Amino acid sequence: MNPALGPFAIAALLLMIGGIAKAVRPGDTAVAVEAMGLPGGDTAVRLGGCVEVVLGLAALITVDVPIAVLVAISYAAFCGFVSIALARRLPIASCGCFGRTDTPPSWLHVGITAGACVAAIGMTLDATDSPIDLATGHGASSAAYVVLVVAGVLTSFALLTVIPRSRSSSPSMA
């Protein structure tokens, strides 16, 4: 079994959640894209969100190296986007990754997206099982896998939203 299966499933689910949020509420992402000087707008963000949903779903249900490569490319692009925004100190209050929830860009965000990229690359090296295969066919170990993936998604969501938001809203210590 590929050790990247758990982190890859988490990355795929986060991709789907973010895609749904962007498709429904594209505004924050469109503002972030425009702040970077890139073409975009609500329609482009909605379309990109739909692509993320389809890609995340495909990553969960198939054992397909090209899908894993596309997930890796997506997360590499997210990582680059946030890194550039941080390096340029762009005034982006939220990248819009999860719709209404403020997700201010942070180096923690960069780390999580880089980790998701690495997990996707790991899947390209050994794509013998899909996340859905492991979640449905192994009794108690499947249940444990599902619980750990859900915990990973919830933890990642909290790390991407709650911590950066609390850090940006706390008074600075002079």
Side-chain angles (χ1 to χ4, degrees):
M1 177 177 56
N2 187 338
L5 256 171
F8 183 71
I10 294 166
L13 286 166
L14 288 172
L15 194 61
M16 290 176 62
I17 293 166
I20 291 167
K22 289 176 196 138
V24 172
R25 290 191 175 85
D28 286 339
T29 303
V31 168
V33 168
E34 289 170 11
M36 289 285 284
L38 299 171
D42 286 358
T43 302
V45 171
R46 277 195 171 101
L47 180 60
C50 291
V51 169
E52 288 177 22
V53 172
V54 170
L55 181 57
L57 183 60
L60 288 174
I61 62 175
T62 65
V63 181
D64 193 24
V65 170
I67 296 293
V69 168
L70 290 173
V71 172
I73 291 169
S74 295
Y75 275 105
F78 299 151
C79 188
F81 182 88
V82 175
S83 296
I84 291 168
L86 290 169
R88 290 184 182 171
R89 299 180 190 267
L90 294 177
I92 298 173
S94 175
C95 66
C97 290
F98 298 114
R100 284 191 173 179
T101 305
D102 282 340
T103 49
S106 70
W107 291 109
L108 184 58
H109 200 136
V110 172
I112 290 171
T113 56
C117 180
V118 169
I121 291 168
M123 285 301 292
T124 68
L125 303 175
D126 177 16
T128 54
D129 291 312
S130 72
I132 200 75
D133 291 336
L134 189 56
T136 58
H138 299 84
S141 62
S142 289
Y145 173 74
V146 169
V147 167
L148 290 172
V149 167
V150 169
V153 168
L154 294 173
T155 300
S156 297
F157 184 82
L159 289 171
L160 290 169
T161 59
V162 176
I163 291 174
R165 189 175 43 214
S166 67
R167 292 183 77 203
S168 68
S169 65
S170 64
S172 21
M173 309 274 292

